[in-house]
Amino acid sequence: MRLSLLSIAIGALASVPAYAVPTTVNYNVDFSSPTQSFWGPGKSASNFGINKLLLGNTTFGLRFQTGASTGTVKSNYNSKILVDYDDVAQAGPVNLALGFQGDSNGGHFDTILGAFVKVTAYFPVLGAFTVTNPNYSLQTSRTYTPSPPDSVSDSDSFTPASTAIGPSVPLVGSAQAGIDYDIVQNSTHTVSGLNGIARATHQGNGQVRSAPFSLGATDSVLLDLDSPGLWDVELTSLSLNNLFSTDFDLAAVPFAQYTLGGGCGDPGTDSDNGFFCGGDGRLDTTLASLDLFSNTPFALAMQSSNALSSFQITVVPEPAIFNLMGLGLLGVGVVAWRRKTP
């Protein structure tokens, strides 16, 4: 009798969560965006480029025009979420330790731009003609291993070869124009973290407990599982905090020159003009970088394609209840022991 009651009392005083087993589950969480416009909300290819005189005027000058036919971006961000927990816990706050693990080379973004450039030169008497009218494309791309917070960038440029071109008519005059220019695209994709909600549902009474989390490298969530029984726990409402930005810059070195008549010499000066020279001129400059387009950073429509299964935690009453039971049994045992003792 003494041993039996004492054993029960000691067992009741023991902490039930001592039977808990540390457990880890991991989930594949892969985010991707569809191919979408990189101009940003409310913007389109019509917002890109410039149409302006770089030199002079429409009598003697150089006009630069550029525009885009398309501009798209897509991205993916593949990773795992690790959850560490005890499969048995006492009623009250229960901790879930969360960890993030990026897949090797699981992060990627790329952009594609299709555009045109048109340069028109204007000359006295000789009129206007097109210097260059090429189509071009730019592509920025970056592959990396996710580890938020991330901020990754890439650049691409379009640098056509410049050739001085223009008409030359004996006794009438000549014209030449050319331009060296670079169009540079800079793109950046920033991921600050992965957000979600840890949600627990009691299998018996249907109670729901939830808590938000924002996962960088590590995080933890406390769920108030205050009712004994079996709880189903899941990670829901997963979203990726991200921003995408891109900008285009132009650097240009244009020139234009002409002669009218004959014997004009250097178009850059009148001092060597002959009797039959009706006039000449030259314009050139080095332009500082011009902003062709810069979008307001916006979130790509990153969606997760993974359905995450739930896991279970068994919740037992608080130890105080068992301590009272244990003390009561221990008292009964002591009384019985005294009665038996001679």
Side-chain angles (χ1 to χ4, degrees):
M1 176 65 176
R2 280 177 279 172
L3 289 176
S4 177
L5 288 173
L6 286 173
S7 297
I8 293 174
I10 293 171
L13 288 169
S15 175
V16 173
Y19 297 104
V21 176
T23 306
T24 299
V25 295
N26 63 78
Y27 299 108
N28 289 320
V29 180
D30 300 331
F31 287 91
S32 63
S33 71
T35 299
Q36 62 187 102
S37 168
F38 64 41
W39 307 109
K43 299 290 185 67
S44 69
S46 63
N47 296 102
F48 171 78
I50 61 173
N51 181 352
K52 66 179 296 181
L53 284 163
L54 296 183
L55 296 172
N57 51 47
T58 55
T59 299
F60 178 35
L62 205 64
R63 178 178 294 278
F64 187 91
Q65 295 172 266
T66 182
S69 57
T70 186
T72 60
V73 57
K74 61 181 179 179
S75 178
N76 59 268
Y77 200 82
N78 299 336
S79 61
K80 293 180 178 61
I81 295 179
L82 287 72
V83 185
D84 292 322
Y85 64 97
D86 289 337
D87 66 346
V88 178
Q90 67 186 44
V94 174
N95 183 68
L96 307 179
L98 306 181
F100 180 95
Q101 181 179 312
D103 293 353
S104 178
N105 296 323
H108 179 78
F109 82 84
D110 65 71
T111 71
I112 297 177
L113 172 76
F116 71 88
V117 169
K118 182 179 181 180
V119 180
T120 305
Y122 304 94
F123 297 99
V125 179
L126 300 172
F129 65 93
T130 299
V131 176
T132 180
N133 188 17
N135 292 320
Y136 69 93
S137 64
L138 293 175
Q139 181 172 6
T140 60
S141 179
R142 181 72 183 274
T143 299
Y144 58 99
T145 298
S147 180
D150 292 308
S151 184
V152 294
S153 302
D154 192 43
S155 298
D156 194 15
S157 62
F158 176 73
T159 307
S162 175
T163 303
I165 62 172
S168 179
V169 181
L171 302 180
V172 175
S174 65
Q176 284 189 320
I179 181 171
D180 290 321
Y181 64 91
D182 293 330
I183 294 178
V184 180
Q185 179 186 6
N186 304 293
S187 299
T188 300
H189 191 209
T190 300
V191 177
S192 56
L194 190 159
N195 294 336
I197 296 175
R199 175 187 173 98
T201 304
H202 194 281
Q203 288 190 4
N205 57 30
Q207 290 180 339
V208 175
R209 301 290 183 265
S210 62
F213 64 86
S214 181
L215 183 58
T218 59
D219 197 3
S220 62
V221 177
L222 280 178
L223 290 173
D224 188 15
L225 307 185
D226 51 356
S227 294
L230 193 61
W231 292 78
D232 293 319
V233 184
E234 57 183 341
L235 305 183
T236 66
S237 304
L238 299 181
S239 63
L240 201 64
N241 268 357
N242 78 103
L243 287 175
F244 172 79
S245 62
T246 191
D247 66 76
F248 297 84
D249 299 312
L250 166 69
V253 182
F255 80 92
Q257 62 185 32
Y258 74 96
T259 63
L260 295 174
C264 290
D266 182 359
T269 178
D270 292 333
S271 62
D272 58 356
N273 290 353
F275 179 77
F276 295 102
C277 179
D280 61 8
R282 178 180 173 87
L283 296 171
D284 60 58
T285 187
T286 299
L287 296 178
S289 180
L290 298 176
D291 184 12
L292 299 182
F293 175 82
S294 181
N295 75 349
T296 300
F298 67 97
L300 299 182
M302 306 289 288
Q303 298 293 326
S304 175
S305 58
N306 307 92
L308 307 187
S309 60
S310 62
F311 56 91
Q312 285 70 47
I313 295 178
T314 300
V315 173
V316 297
E318 295 182 11
I321 296 174
F322 291 98
N323 290 342
L324 290 175
M325 291 173 56
L327 289 173
L329 291 173
L330 183 59
V332 171
V334 170
V335 171
W337 177 74
R338 287 179 176 174
R339 287 177 178 174
K340 293 287 186 178
T341 303

